């Protein structure tokens, strides 16, 4: 049985593609019909999940209230466990951050991830503990003669946060004093849905192109609740609410190069056009447009010894393009990097498994005018289990990624622990 | 494979589920938009249009008690009228053999009139004397008043003498607050026959307060008749005759004082306050100084609205002895006033409890009534004709003989409208 995680293989002949007789061709058509139906079902499933993404994304940081939110890198658990290496890992995966990696998938595949996080923030004397679950990425692929077609859906920005202040105020114009709780909450985010194709060009090179939409919504509300008042105990709260929908185009390309069976390097470039925030009918606040940035990723992996591989990646997102569009925050370019090792000498449930370790670091783009950029770093670990393989095709796979990290912005320190799980099923 | 896959997946899900209880993190921006809360008090001229007082809602017969009084607070005369049910036709009698049998040939030999005092109400502290009499004329419990025995749409009949007279006096009795809650008049067989019969009662009974300056609420006036059964003549059996209808009549019936609001009484009074609240305020000065004028008044900016009333002196005899519960409701169709349907309560289940002491002397105590939903409806521009009239009434009608009185427009302590407004910038994108 071959472990996909350590396989640096060239393009593989898809079984059944050579035409060797009418009967076999008819059988292939039947198989294709079945695959097509499965693919359609997979697409429908992904579409359902995509629609659910904006509603299910839960905030993962106190910094989600800064600027356009917290960038939510749409990595799967394999990348997360391997030091947050988002691109350049051994091919045969359905990573949204590495579109060319799907070129070697010979059977239809679907993958989805869910991520649970627990965090504790300290800002001076204030502390806050919170937790949440989100679905960072969903993807489906379907191989054809033209290449491997894929759909990726993943989160880009998490905008869910709340701030609450309880204070006693004087009602202006009188001597009456009232205790009020002012709560500002932001709920929503931006996700991306991309459709693309990737294929091998020659024995070492794979190329990918994709296009899609940046979508999402945000609901921002202010609510003042009168907790108690001398003149009355039951006072309805004051509230002001605005809701906007995000719409924008995105596209990009990816490339991967294999060096025999020992190494692979890859790069991707993602372009995003202006994302328009369109107010709903009942919203008083104006709409705005944000010049979303381009994103460049570069990474690679190499086999150091039998069963031991190393990987590293670097990415830069030009968030400074949105700086002029923001009213209450500043935006700076953000750099992220990660590196890690994978050791394939483990057996879990009697299945070939891989153990991963790594570290990732980087900047967060949004901050106020008088603040430096926020930084983020995390130690990572991961476990991948090949649950089922047939010949050289991996049919079911389960990956876990653990992160123990820290975010820093001025006096705020935020420690987090995050568990990511990715399930991939192929050949359906 | 399936077992190991399921096991691994379940383990992952169980760990993940522990984070499924979403706890949204706190942002670092405590005051993302400027917000101010102000309290303003609008004088009557700035929000009020007119006040009408309507009476005649309900009847004293619907109250749970009857008031008897004479020269109370130097003015009030009030008498209880009771019509007993038909006397019983049969009685269960234990005969000489010890067997219960039904006897329909018994004879009424005497009885008692028993009045029970409403001990939940405020009572006289000293003994008082009451009288019981037999009425001489037919009357209608739902419409009887001091001057009219019957006052229905189809039939009007005056008393021969105002105050349900003339009557045949049966006797007087003393009620001592320390002795209990019952007043008893003993009556002979002739009186029993005069009050009623098995074929139907006559005109009934009238109970008067004899002691000048006293006022007493009665819960019920009933008969207890002594009978000698034909099956066992050596035995006396007492039979209860409860009241069929009961009410009370009183005098005087003061008309509302012009310019004042009145709430309560039996039949009940309602005050209808018609408002003409502008959507743009150019005052008062405090508002203009702090927020700026003209100020556009919107439903979303309104946190709280209360109508402030100042208590006024109540006419002698009708001063509340217990708490008055005042309700506020929106008049749903002004064209149907005074019989317009009203909205549900704006004040909650029991209304606003007002102490009777605020009506002592000339009053002058401020009462605050919640009207937030009413004002919000006024300010909501949904295309419908706004309902501008607000009804002030007691929570139940009638609630009692007494009423509350409040100062009207143009008087010191005229109605005012207190608003708590919150003004904030519009929520915008970052």
């Amino acid at each position: 049985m071959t472990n996909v995680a350590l396989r640096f293989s060239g393009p593989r002949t898809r079984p059944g593609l050579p035409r060797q007789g009418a009967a076999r061709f008819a059988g292939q058509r039947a198989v294709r019909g079945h695959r097509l139906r499965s693919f359609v079902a997979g697409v429908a499933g992904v579409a359902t999940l995509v629609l659910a993404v904006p509603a299910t994304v839960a905030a993962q940081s106190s910094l989600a209230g800064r600027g356009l939110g917290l960038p939510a890198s749409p990595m799967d658990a394999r990348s997360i466990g391997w030091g947050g290496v988002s691109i350049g890992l051994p091919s045969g995966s359905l990573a949204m951050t590495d579109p060319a990696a799907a070129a070697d998938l010979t059977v239809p595949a679907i993958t989805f991830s869910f991520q649970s996080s627990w965090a504790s923030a300290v800002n001076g004397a204030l502390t806050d503990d919170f937790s949440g679950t989100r679905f960072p990425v969903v993807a489906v692929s379907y191989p054809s003669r033209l290449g491997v077609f894929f759909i990726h859906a993943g989160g880009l920005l998490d905008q869910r946060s709340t701030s609450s202040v309880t204070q006693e105020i004087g009602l202006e114009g009188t001597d009456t004093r009232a205790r009020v709780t002012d709560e500002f909450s932001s709920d929503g985010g931006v996700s991306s849905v991309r459709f693309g194709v990737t294929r091998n060009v020659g024995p070492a090179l794979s190329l990918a192109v994709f296009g899609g939409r940046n979508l999402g919504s945000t609901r921002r509300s202010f609510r003042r609740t009168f907790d108690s008042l001398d003149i009355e105990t039951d006072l309805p709260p004051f509230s002001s609410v605005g809701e906007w929908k995000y719409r924008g185009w995105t596209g990009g390309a990816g490339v991967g190069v294999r060096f025999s069976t020992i190494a692979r390097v890859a790069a991707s470039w993602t372009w995003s056009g202006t994302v328009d925030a369109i107010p709903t009918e009942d919203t008083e606040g104006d709409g705005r447009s944000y010049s979303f940035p381009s994103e460049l990723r570069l990474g690679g992996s190499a086999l150091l010894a039998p069963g031991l591989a190393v990987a590293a990646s670097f990415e830069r997102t030009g968030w400074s393009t949105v700086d002029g569009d923001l009213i209450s925050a500043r935006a700076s370019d953000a750099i992220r990097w990660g590196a890690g090792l994978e050791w394939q000498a483990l057996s879990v449930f009697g299945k070939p498994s891989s153990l991963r370790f790594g570290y990732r670091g980087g900047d967060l783009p949004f901050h106020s005018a008088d603040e430096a950029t926020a930084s983020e770093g995390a130690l990572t670990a991961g476990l991948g289990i090949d649950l089922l393989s047939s010949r050289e095709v991996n049919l079911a796979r389960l990956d876990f990624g653990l992160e123990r990290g820290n975010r820093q912005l001025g006096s705020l320190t935020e420690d987090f622990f995050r568990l990511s799980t990715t399930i991939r099923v192929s050949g359906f | 494979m399936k077992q190991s896959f399921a096991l691994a997946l379940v383990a992952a899900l169980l760990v993940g589920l522990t984070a499924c209880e979403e706890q949204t993190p706190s942002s670092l921006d405590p005051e993302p938009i400027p917000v101010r809360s102000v309290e303003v008090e609008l004088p009557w001229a700035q929000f009020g249009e007119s006040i009408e007082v309507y009476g005649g809602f309900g009847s004293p017969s619907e109250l749970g008690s009857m008031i008897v009084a004479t020269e109370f607070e130097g003015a009030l005369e009030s008498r209880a009228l009771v019509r007993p049910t038909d006397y019983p036709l049969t009685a269960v009698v234990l005969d000489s053999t010890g067997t219960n049998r039904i006897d329909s040939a018994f004879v009424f030999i005497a009885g008692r009139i028993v009045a029970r005092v409403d001990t939940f109400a405020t009572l006289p502290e000293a003994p008082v004397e009451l009288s019981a009499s037999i009425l001489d004329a037919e009357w209608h419990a739902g419409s009887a008043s001091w001057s009219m025995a019957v006052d229905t749409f189809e039939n009007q009949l005056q008393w021969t003498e105002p105050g349900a007279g003339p009557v045949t006096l049966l006797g007087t009795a003393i009620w001592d607050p320390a002795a209990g809650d019952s007043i008893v008049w003993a009556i002979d067989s002739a009186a029993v026959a005069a009050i009623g019969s098995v074929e139907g009662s006559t005109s009934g009974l009238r109970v008067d307060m004899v002691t000048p300056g006293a006022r007493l609420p009665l819960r019920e006036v009933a008969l207890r008749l002594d009978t000698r059964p034909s099956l066992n003549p050596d035995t006396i059996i007492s039979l209860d005759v409860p009241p069929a209808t009961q009410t009370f009549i009183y005098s005087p019936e003061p008309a509302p004082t012009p310019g004042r609001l009145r709430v309560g009484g039996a039949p009940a009074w309602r005050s209808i306050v018609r408002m003409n609240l502008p959507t743009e305020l150019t005052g008062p000065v405090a508002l203009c100084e702090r927020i700026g004028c003209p100020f556009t008044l919107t439903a979303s900016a309104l946190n709280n609205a209360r109508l402030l009333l100042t208590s006024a002196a109540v006419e002698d005899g009708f001063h509340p002895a217990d708490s008055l519960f005042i309700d506020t409701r929106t008049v749903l169709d002004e064209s149907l006033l005074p019989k317009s349907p009203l909205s549900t309560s704006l004040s909650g289940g029991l209304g606003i409890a007002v102490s009777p002491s605020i009506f002592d002397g000339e009053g002058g105590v401020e009462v605050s009534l919640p009207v937030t939903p009413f004002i919000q409806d006024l300010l909501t521009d949904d295309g419908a004709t706004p309902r501008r009239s607000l009804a002030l009434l007691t929570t139940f009608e009638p609630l009692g003989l007494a009423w509350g009185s409040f100062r009207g427009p143009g008087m010191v302590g005229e109605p005012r409208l207190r608003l708590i407004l919150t003004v904030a910038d519009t929520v915008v994108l970052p």
Side-chain angles (χ1 to χ4, degrees), chain A residues 58 61 66 116 118 128 130-132 162-163 172-174 184 220 224 232 235-236 238 290 387 398 400 419 423, chain B residues 1 5 8-9 12 15-16 18 22-29 32 36-37 39 290 300 303-304 306 428 430:
Chain A
S61 170
R66 272 286 192 275
S116 303
W118 299 261
D128 187 25
F130 50 90
S131 61
T162 181
S163 67
E172 298 182 33
T174 68
F184 181 83
R220 298 165 68 81
R224 167 164 283 187
E232 190 182 37
L235 208 58
F238 165 85
Y290 299 100
L387 295 172
L398 186 60
F400 300 102
L419 168 64
I423 299 164
Chain B
M1 192 283 291
F5 180 77
L9 191 58
V15 174
T18 61
E22 302 293 348
Q23 295 164 305
T24 306
S26 296
S27 163
L28 295 175
D29 304 313
R36 305 174 75 181
S37 290
E39 183 178 288
R290 289 167 177 82
S300 61
N303 282 115
N304 183 247
R306 301 186 76 89
V428 296

Side-chain angles (χ1 to χ4, degrees), chain A residues 15-277:
Chain A
L17 279 181
R19 302 184 180 184
Q20 296 177 2
R24 184 166 182 177
F25 182 68
Q28 288 170 3
R29 282 203 305 184
V31 169
R32 280 204 198 115
H34 170 71
R35 284 182 176 178
L36 190 59
R37 283 194 296 275
S38 301
F39 181 72
V40 170
V43 170
V46 170
T48 304
L49 288 169
V50 166
L51 290 174
V53 165
T56 54
V57 168
Q60 310 238 336
S61 170
S62 300
L63 300 170
R66 272 286 192 275
L68 289 179
L70 182 75
S73 188
M75 288 188 290
D76 59 15
R78 181 187 179 213
S79 292
I80 289 170
W82 207 338
V85 176
S86 60
I87 192 168
L89 295 179
S91 62
S93 70
L94 200 46
M96 187 171 180
T97 49
D98 188 357
D104 290 334
L105 293 175
T106 57
V107 292
I110 183 168
T111 180
F112 76 93
S113 302
F114 62 93
Q115 195 173 68
S116 303
S117 66
W118 299 261
S120 176
V122 178
N123 188 10
L126 303 174
T127 62
D128 187 25
D129 296 324
F130 50 90
S131 61
T133 299
R134 60 189 285 263
F135 299 88
V137 64
V138 184
V140 61
S141 69
Y142 180 76
S144 75
R145 289 183 183 181
L146 297 175
V148 179
F149 289 92
F150 59 81
I151 297 174
H152 290 142
L156 295 184
L157 290 168
D158 178 1
Q159 297 181 331
R160 187 165 153 176
S161 71
T162 181
S163 67
S164 179
V165 176
T166 298
Q167 58 185 330
E168 187 178 270
I169 63 166
L171 293 180
E172 298 182 33
T174 68
D175 297 330
T176 307
R177 296 194 67 77
R179 196 155 55 91
V180 300
T181 299
D182 291 342
E183 186 178 69
F184 181 83
S185 68
S186 169
D187 192 5
V190 183
S191 301
S192 187
V193 181
R194 300 166 185 170
F195 175 79
V197 61
T198 177
R199 67 172 296 157
N200 289 310
V201 181
L205 182 66
S206 54
L207 299 174
V209 291
F210 62 87
R213 295 281 277 167
N214 289 329
L215 302 165
S217 65
T218 186
R219 184 179 191 276
R220 298 165 68 81
S221 65
F222 173 80
R223 181 183 175 93
R224 167 164 283 187
T225 306
F226 293 78
D227 294 329
S228 67
L229 204 55
D230 292 339
I231 57 170
E232 190 182 37
T233 55
D234 181 20
L235 208 58
F238 165 85
S239 65
S240 179
V241 180
E243 196 167 345
W244 294 262
K245 293 188 183 304
Y246 293 116
R247 296 289 182 270
W249 292 101
T250 185
V255 59
V257 180
R258 281 176 299 275
F259 299 95
S260 182
T261 58
I262 61 167
R264 177 175 181 267
V265 294
S268 73
W269 173 75
T270 304
W271 164 87
S272 289
T274 298
V275 170
D276 296 318

